[in-house]
């Protein structure tokens, strides 16, 4: 039996067109069919999805193969969302989870209004009907017992076991009415279709179903499909996905089927002589069957678990499988069934693999988790790492999760090496940078040419992307500095205490663990960060920008070549998969620290996306130079020129120039302005500076701006105190400078400015790990925890406590115990660094 019910007004207005509803869209599907007609569109394609011809919106891709990567899911045009019983129903299984259902409807409506074609396969009729029937039974029993047995007997009422088919019959109309009311809030119409397995064995009914669904989609209506549980027989054990031989299904069929019948296209696309048609025994198999018959791009299966695990969910070693490939089911252990519903995870996997084989991409995800259910569907369509993605294309290399595990294991081995062995690796890498410079520069040339051809990078970013012989030589020098200073980093004792007799405590330096460094258009960052990670014994996961892919590949290859001399090649990993930064930031069980190197927008995005992983870095580099009343003319022009013009795209470049009021209209001020004009620096006037001028430059839109180019803001202050207040209000706690000959004023500035780097009579550009003698830096931190300023080896270390005793127990130190605490500071042994 197959029913179709549409909650429709007589007509529907879609953007840019007016559609009339045909009787075929609201009548029973199992009707006598009219002869099918072939209609040729302007592009030459033939469509005959129903007995009434219509023009369809072209899909964004040709159906036939599933998407290979999550990032491609955003191109999905036609989507089926399967809602499991556990998603739709409440925890007590009597009634619907209204808030969760409203959120799902909102997401489906959002995608529908984006121009996608959405379909829902829903459960919940039995649970909704059970709620209604229980209410009726309780009401009937209470009245009956009140009349015959008195009020004292009400508490003894028992609710009989309710038959599922009766519950389904009572719940179908209410469930659909609820969907109608919710979709109406988004000006979207919904139509209900009830099917059984027998309907798919009838060629005519299958053809009618196909035509009706296409016509509903054409009219921007969301079909809501469910098995007709009021008439289906009870499920047979282990028969959810047994399959029916297609030869038997096709017996008596017309050997030359027209395009109106999707099964023919099905078989052609699959290129199989023998194929098992999925048997519709539950909504998992129904969703898979419809997804393939309707040639959908994506099937989203929502359940009460996050996806597939390599062992039963909840077990200690269970890990979520990000991507599942055909054939991997042998390595998966399936847990128990859902608390409600007819299928289980095994049934979902079989249905998903069947749909995948038919050309439909599949994601199984959790639709009940309160933190993600409000955006789980849209997140999946956006390509985010949610649930388990089924793919037929296995990547050539390891997954990012596997890379992170390899980096952790490699990092632990690296930390166990002798200091001179880690230094040896870094020295070898420095030599490779100069020995292999031609190969490096050739790879970088490819990146530069591709960036220029695409025109996607501004000039400051092109400068960052570019490598040169001088840059490589500087890199090699910096790496040798790191190697020389790394001898006494890991395992260094920083505190010794005698707790009691024969009980000694040590605090020693250890690596943080696994670092994730994300950098944009800065290939020179890769060897720098790698050397610091090696010196500090950390595992490293690198994510570079696509614009530097060729440069990053060769530099990473050289890094692993250097690591190989002591058997720790896996300690540094380069992420080459299509992993989005936001997905990497969710690997809180695999990554210990995230260090972004790039634009302020990148840093802000990472800080927002990182859940449970600390982020070291700065979101902006708004650096100030304050020209005091006692400043030297010669020093001011040199320092300001170097701070702004030497490398304007750097995070430590001058952005705001603060000038003491007494310096206005003086030769010093004129020389500053002349120098900036010669260097072609665009000046923006602060509010106070603009008030002093008759014809001022363009007034600054915000005093909290990082220009990253040959632009700066000039503002006027009355005193050093006012300059400090301005820096604290509008700065980013990065690097701030005072230029003055007054030592007392300078010391006041140095002590009171609360920034990571504060300088006197020196350029802001000195804020750099290499210039500080750290060899290199992983970044400049403006946070107040752990590390601040240019972060070198010390910033990549933490500590652990080592306690050495001899049969010591705490009870010995009680009031009546035999031992007393001494807490004596002990001298720290000096390590031989030669």
């Amino acid at each position: 039996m197959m029913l179709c019910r549409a909650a429709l007004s007589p007509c529907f207005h879609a953007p840019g067109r007016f559609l009339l509803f045909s009787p075929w869209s609201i009548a029973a599907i199992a009707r006598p069919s009219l002869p099918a007609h072939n209609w040729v569109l302007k592009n030459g394609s033939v469509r005959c999805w129903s007995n009434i011809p219509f023009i369809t919106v072209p899909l964004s891709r040709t159906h036939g193969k599933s998407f290979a990567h999550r990032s491609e899911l955003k191109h999905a045009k036609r989507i089926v969302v399967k809602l499991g019983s556990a998603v739709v129903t409440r925890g007590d299984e009597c009634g619907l989870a209204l808030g969760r259902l409203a959120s799902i409807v909102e997401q489906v409506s959002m995608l529908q209004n984006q121009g996608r074609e959405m379909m829902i396969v829903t459960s919940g009729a039995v649970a909704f009907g059970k709620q209604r029937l229980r209410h009726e039974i309780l009401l009937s029993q209470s009245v009956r017992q009140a009349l015959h047995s008195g009020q004292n007997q009400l508490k003894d009422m028992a609710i009989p076991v309710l038959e599922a088919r009766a519950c389904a019959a009572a719940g179908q109309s209410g469930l659909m009415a609820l969907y109608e009311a919710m979709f109406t809030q988004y000006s979207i119409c919904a139509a209900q279709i009830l099917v059984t397995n027998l309907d798919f064995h009838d060629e005519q009914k299958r053809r009618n179903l196909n035509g009706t669904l296409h016509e509903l989609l054409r009219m921007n209506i969301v079909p809501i499909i469910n098995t007709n549980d009021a008439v289906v027989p009870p499920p047979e054990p282990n028969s959810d996905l047994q399959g029916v031989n297609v030869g038997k299904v096709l017996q008596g069929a017309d050997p030359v089927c027209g395009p109106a019948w999707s099964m023919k296209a099905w078989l052609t696309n699959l290129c199989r002589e023998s194929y098992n048609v999925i048997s519709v025994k539950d909504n998992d198999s129904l969703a898979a069957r419809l997804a393939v018959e309707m040639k959908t791009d994506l099937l989203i299966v929502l359940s009460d678990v996050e996806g597939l695990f390599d062992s039963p969910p909840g077990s200690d070693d269970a890990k979520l499988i990000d991507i599942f490939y055909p054939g991997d089911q042998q390595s998966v252990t399936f847990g128990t069934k859902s608390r409600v519903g007819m299928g289980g995870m095994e049934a979902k996997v079989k249905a998903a693999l069947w749909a995948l084989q038919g050309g439909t991409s599949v994601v199984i995800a959790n639709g009940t988790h309160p933190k993600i259910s409000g955006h789980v569907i849209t997140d999946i369509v956006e390509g985010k790492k949610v649930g388990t993605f089924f793919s037929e294309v296995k990547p050539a290399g390891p997954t990012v999760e596997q890379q992170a595990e390899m980096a952790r294991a490699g990092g632990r081995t690296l930390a166990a090496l002798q200091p001179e062995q880690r230094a040896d690796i870094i020295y070898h890498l420095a030599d490779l940078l100069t020995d292999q410079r031609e190969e490096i520069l050739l790879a970088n040339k490819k990146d530069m040419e591709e960036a220029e051809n695409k025109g996607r990078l501004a000039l400051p970013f092109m400068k960052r992307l570019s490598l040169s012989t001088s840059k490589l030589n500087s890199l090699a020098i910096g790496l040798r500095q790191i190697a020389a200073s790394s001898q006494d980093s890991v395992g260094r004792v920083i505190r010794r205490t005698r707790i009691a007799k024969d009980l000694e405590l040590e605090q020693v330096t250890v690596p943080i663990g696994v670092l994730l460094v994300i950098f944009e258009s800065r290939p020179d960052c890769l060897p720098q960060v790698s050397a610091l990670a090696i010196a500090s014994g950390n595992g490293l996961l690198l994510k570079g920008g696509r614009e530097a892919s060729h440069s990053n590949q060769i530099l990473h290859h050289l890094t692993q070549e250097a690591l190989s001399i002591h058997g720790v090649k896996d300690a540094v990993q380069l992420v080459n998969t299509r992993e989005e930064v936001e997905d990497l930031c969710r690997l809180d069980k695999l990554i210990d620290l995230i260090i972004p190197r790039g634009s302020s927008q990148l840093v802000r995005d990472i800080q927002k996306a990182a859940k449970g992983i600390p982020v070291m870095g700065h979101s902006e580099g708004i650096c100030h130079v304050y020209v005091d009343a006692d400043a030297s003319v010669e020093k001011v022009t040199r320092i300001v020129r170097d701070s702004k013009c030497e490398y304007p795209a750097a995070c430590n470049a001058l952005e705001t120039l603060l000038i003491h009021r007494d310096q206005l209209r003086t030769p010093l001020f004129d020389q500053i302005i002349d120098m900036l004009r010669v260097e072609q620096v665009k000046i923006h006037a602060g509010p106070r500076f603009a008030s002093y001028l008759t014809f001022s430059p363009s007034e600054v839109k915000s005093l909290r701006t990082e220009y990253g180019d040959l632009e700066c803001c000039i503002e006027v202050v009355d005193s050093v105190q006012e300059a400090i207040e301005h820096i604290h209000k509008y700065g980013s706690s990065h690097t701030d400078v005072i230029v003055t000959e007054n030592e007392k004023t300078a010391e006041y500035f140095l002590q009171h400015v609360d920034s990571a780097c504060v300088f006197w009579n020196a350029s802001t550009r000195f804020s750099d790990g290499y210039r500080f003698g750290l060899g290199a830096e992983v970044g400049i931190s403006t946070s107040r925890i752990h590390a601040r300023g240019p972060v070198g080896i010390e910033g990549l270390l933490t500590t652990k406590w080592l306690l050495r005793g001899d049969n010591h127990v705490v009870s010995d130190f009680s009031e009546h115990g035999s031992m007393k605490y001494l807490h004596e500071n002990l001298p720290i042994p000096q390590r031989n660094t030669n």
Side-chain angles (χ1 to χ4, degrees):
M1 181 177 183
M2 187 183 301
L3 303 175
C4 178
R5 172 175 171 272
L8 308 170
S9 55
C11 61
F12 177 77
H13 182 261
R17 57 185 176 180
F18 188 84
L19 299 176
L20 294 177
F21 291 114
S22 70
W24 284 267
S25 64
I26 56 177
I29 295 178
R31 64 189 186 281
S33 67
L34 299 177
H37 300 282
N38 293 342
W39 292 79
V40 181
L41 307 184
K42 289 182 179 180
N43 61 5
S45 62
V46 179
R47 296 294 170 90
C48 189
W49 283 336
S50 75
N51 293 309
I52 294 183
F54 54 89
I55 305 299
T56 60
V57 178
L59 298 180
S60 59
R61 74 184 189 102
T62 302
H63 190 273
K65 288 192 66 177
S66 59
F67 293 118
H69 306 283
R70 281 185 185 268
S71 58
E72 298 172 351
L73 295 180
K74 57 179 170 285
H75 301 301
K77 172 75 173 180
R78 185 170 292 168
I79 302 171
V80 171
V81 179
K82 187 267 175 178
L83 306 179
S85 300
V87 177
V88 178
T89 60
R90 298 199 311 247
D92 60 6
E93 303 174 23
C94 293
L96 304 179
L98 297 180
R100 194 183 301 144
L101 204 57
S103 175
I104 289 170
V105 168
E106 181 180 16
Q107 294 174 76
V108 171
S109 300
M110 184 187 306
L111 295 172
Q112 181 82 3
N113 288 330
Q114 289 176 1
R116 305 181 197 269
E117 298 173 342
M118 305 298 297
M119 291 178 278
I120 294 178
V121 175
T122 183
S123 303
V126 174
F128 194 37
K130 185 186 293 186
Q131 182 187 37
R132 296 180 65 183
L133 292 180
R134 279 189 173 186
H135 181 268
E136 292 298 325
I137 291 171
L138 284 173
L139 182 62
S140 175
Q141 287 183 348
S142 63
V143 172
R144 194 162 53 246
Q145 290 193 18
L147 292 174
H148 298 94
S149 304
Q151 293 292 332
N152 293 332
Q153 299 295 323
L154 287 177
K155 61 182 180 180
D156 298 326
M157 289 187 300
I159 300 175
V161 176
L162 299 174
E163 206 274 332
R165 285 189 290 254
C167 293
Q172 284 288 0
S173 59
L175 177 64
M176 188 60 203
L178 184 62
Y179 274 118
E180 291 169 7
M182 289 181 174
F183 275 110
T184 299
Q185 302 302 312
Y186 303 95
S187 301
I188 292 177
C189 291
Q192 183 185 38
I193 298 177
L194 301 177
V195 298
T196 67
N197 187 39
L198 295 176
D199 295 320
F200 289 93
H201 289 260
D202 187 297
E203 175 193 345
Q204 186 60 61
K205 290 182 180 180
R206 187 171 58 249
R207 184 186 301 173
N208 292 340
L209 170 63
N210 192 297
T212 301
L213 286 172
H214 278 96
E215 194 162 350
L216 292 173
L217 293 176
R218 173 180 71 92
M219 295 185 289
N220 202 32
I221 297 167
V222 176
I224 298 177
I225 306 123
N226 195 359
T227 52
N228 192 0
D229 294 328
V231 299
V232 296
E236 300 175 9
N238 302 318
S239 65
D240 285 349
L241 298 163
Q242 291 299 310
V244 181
N245 188 276
V246 73
K248 294 181 180 179
V249 176
L250 297 181
Q251 283 179 358
D254 186 351
V256 183
C257 299
W261 191 39
S262 63
M263 179 65 77
K264 182 69 176 180
W266 233 26
L267 299 173
T268 303
N269 289 336
L270 292 171
C271 299
R272 295 174 63 93
E273 295 179 1
S274 176
Y275 188 66
N276 279 343
V277 176
I278 198 167
S279 178
V280 177
K281 293 293 186 180
D282 56 25
N283 278 338
D284 294 318
S285 52
L286 171 61
R289 182 73 181 259
L290 285 171
V292 177
E293 290 245 14
M294 291 296 294
K295 299 182 180 180
T296 59
D297 301 314
L298 174 61
L299 168 61
I300 299 174
V301 180
L302 297 184
S303 182
D304 56 354
V305 293
E306 280 73 15
L308 300 187
F309 290 80
D310 57 2
S311 56
S315 61
D316 292 339
D317 298 326
K319 294 180 181 178
L320 179 66
I321 299 173
D322 173 41
I323 305 177
F324 190 78
Y325 306 98
D328 284 356
Q329 60 266 37
Q330 302 299 325
S331 62
V332 175
T333 303
F334 294 101
T336 58
K337 285 175 52 177
S338 165
R339 59 176 173 81
V340 288
M342 294 167 58
M345 187 52 71
E346 187 169 8
K348 290 175 175 57
V349 171
K350 289 181 179 179
L353 289 173
W354 190 88
L356 183 68
Q357 203 170 20
T360 296
S361 297
V362 184
V363 175
I364 296 179
N366 192 334
T368 64
H369 198 292
K371 290 186 178 180
I372 63 173
S373 60
H375 47 80
V376 59
I377 299 174
T378 51
D379 280 355
I380 289 171
V381 175
E382 289 172 8
K384 296 180 181 178
K385 263 195 171 182
V386 179
T388 299
F389 172 62
F390 286 70
S391 175
E392 292 183 299
V393 180
K394 233 175 183 179
T399 66
V400 67
E401 290 84 1
Q402 292 170 332
Q403 285 186 295
E405 291 174 351
M406 292 162 64
R408 185 174 297 281
R412 285 171 177 163
T413 305
L414 184 65
L417 295 177
Q418 294 299 315
E420 56 271 16
Q421 290 177 305
R422 289 191 294 271
D424 190 28
I425 294 172
I426 301 171
Y427 280 126
H428 188 53
L429 177 57
D431 293 338
L432 288 173
L433 290 180
T434 53
D435 295 344
Q436 305 292 328
R437 75 166 62 88
E438 292 184 6
E439 289 82 355
I440 297 171
L441 295 178
L442 183 62
N444 184 247
K445 183 180 178 182
K446 292 180 181 178
D447 289 328
M448 294 292 291
E449 289 174 350
E450 290 180 6
E452 289 173 358
N453 292 336
K454 294 178 181 179
R456 62 185 181 186
L457 293 180
L459 183 59
F461 287 95
M462 291 293 288
K463 290 181 179 179
R464 291 182 180 181
L465 177 61
S466 174
L467 291 176
S468 63
T469 300
S470 60
K471 267 191 179 182
L472 293 176
N473 290 335
S474 296
L475 275 174
I477 294 171
L479 264 57
R480 293 187 179 98
Q481 287 182 348
I482 294 172
S485 62
S486 67
Q487 299 288 329
D488 193 28
S489 54
V490 180
R492 176 168 50 89
V493 179
I494 59 177
R495 179 183 299 178
R496 291 181 68 219
T497 305
R498 180 178 286 118
I499 303 296
K501 183 182 179 181
D502 296 328
L503 185 63
E504 293 188 2
L505 178 69
E506 285 185 348
Q507 186 182 15
V508 299
T509 57
V510 293
I512 289 175
V514 176
L515 313 176
L516 169 61
V517 178
I518 303 169
F519 55 99
E520 292 178 325
S521 59
R522 285 285 299 271
D524 56 332
C525 174
L526 194 151
Q528 287 180 336
V529 173
S530 297
L532 289 169
I534 294 166
S536 56
N538 285 287
L540 179 61
L541 206 59
L542 293 159
K543 174 66 173 176
R546 295 189 187 96
E547 64 279 355
S549 59
H550 298 292
S551 305
N552 291 338
Q553 287 287 353
I554 181 66
L555 291 170
H556 178 250
H557 173 74
L558 296 177
T559 302
Q560 290 202 314
E561 182 179 334
L563 287 163
S564 298
I565 65 175
H566 288 295
V568 285
K569 178 181 177 182
D570 292 339
V572 177
Q573 298 286 326
L574 178 65
V575 178
N576 289 316
T577 60
R578 301 190 182 191
E579 232 71 30
E580 296 295 333
V581 168
E582 187 173 344
D583 292 328
L584 292 172
C585 292
R586 294 176 179 175
L587 302 177
D588 57 306
K589 294 182 180 179
L590 299 172
I591 295 170
D592 300 298
L593 178 67
I594 301 176
I595 305 174
R597 294 286 303 271
S599 66
S600 58
Q601 186 61 49
L602 171 72
V603 179
R604 283 194 295 268
D605 290 344
I606 291 173
Q607 289 173 332
K608 182 179 179 181
K611 305 296 183 183
I613 309 177
V615 178
M616 181 188 292
H618 63 277
S619 58
E620 292 173 307
I622 304 175
C623 302
H624 297 75
V625 171
Y626 165 56
V627 180
D628 187 51
D630 299 321
S632 160
V633 175
E634 180 183 354
K635 291 178 183 178
V636 167
T637 53
R638 279 172 50 82
I639 290 171
V640 171
R641 178 189 290 109
D642 189 77
S643 296
K644 178 73 260 185
C645 308
E646 199 265 342
Y647 191 3
C651 65
N652 57 9
L654 162 69
E655 303 294 1
T656 299
L657 179 63
L658 298 177
I659 297 181
H660 193 284
R661 183 183 58 184
D662 293 347
Q663 295 286 10
L664 292 178
R665 300 185 178 90
T666 65
L668 181 146
F669 177 76
D670 293 338
Q671 286 190 32
I672 294 173
I673 299 300
D674 291 342
M675 180 272 297
L676 292 175
R677 285 175 179 166
V678 170
E679 297 291 343
Q680 299 182 337
V681 177
K682 182 178 180 180
I683 297 174
H684 302 276
R688 286 196 62 187
F689 181 49
S691 67
Y692 284 99
L693 304 174
T694 305
F695 300 101
S696 68
S698 61
E699 189 167 340
V700 69
K701 295 180 180 179
S702 171
L703 290 169
R704 194 179 285 111
T705 301
E706 182 179 14
Y707 298 101
D709 206 346
L710 285 173
E711 299 180 60
C712 75
C713 168
I714 296 180
E715 183 57 310
V716 176
V717 293
D718 291 335
S719 63
V720 64
Q721 291 84 0
E722 191 172 315
I724 293 171
E725 289 175 5
H726 179 103
I727 290 169
H728 288 166
K729 185 174 182 179
Y730 299 109
S732 60
S733 301
H734 192 294
T735 301
D736 298 291
V737 172
I738 182 172
V739 183
T740 184
E741 297 303 302
N742 188 317
E743 183 177 354
K744 183 178 179 181
T745 303
E747 288 299 327
Y748 183 89
F749 185 90
L750 293 174
Q751 297 301 320
H752 287 81
V753 171
D754 188 15
S755 295
C757 300
V758 188
F759 302 159
W760 172 24
N761 287 349
S763 168
T764 59
R765 296 279 291 123
F766 278 104
S767 182
D768 175 82
Y770 172 75
R771 298 181 180 108
F772 276 17
L774 305 179
E777 65 186 29
V778 293
I780 296 179
S781 172
T782 56
S783 66
R784 301 175 186 277
I785 298 175
H786 184 63
R788 203 172 185 208
V791 180
I793 298 174
E794 293 294 325
L796 300 180
L797 296 171
T798 183
T799 64
K800 71 177 180 182
W801 297 89
L802 305 177
L803 184 63
R804 296 179 176 90
D806 183 16
N807 197 30
H808 288 81
V809 294
V810 171
S811 58
D812 288 342
F813 295 85
S814 63
E815 184 178 354
H816 303 290
S818 60
M819 300 197 72
K820 300 294 182 182
Y821 288 111
L822 300 177
H823 293 149
E824 296 177 356
N825 291 328
L826 298 175
I828 297 173
Q830 299 297 315
R831 294 178 61 177
N832 182 9
T833 59
N834 294 327

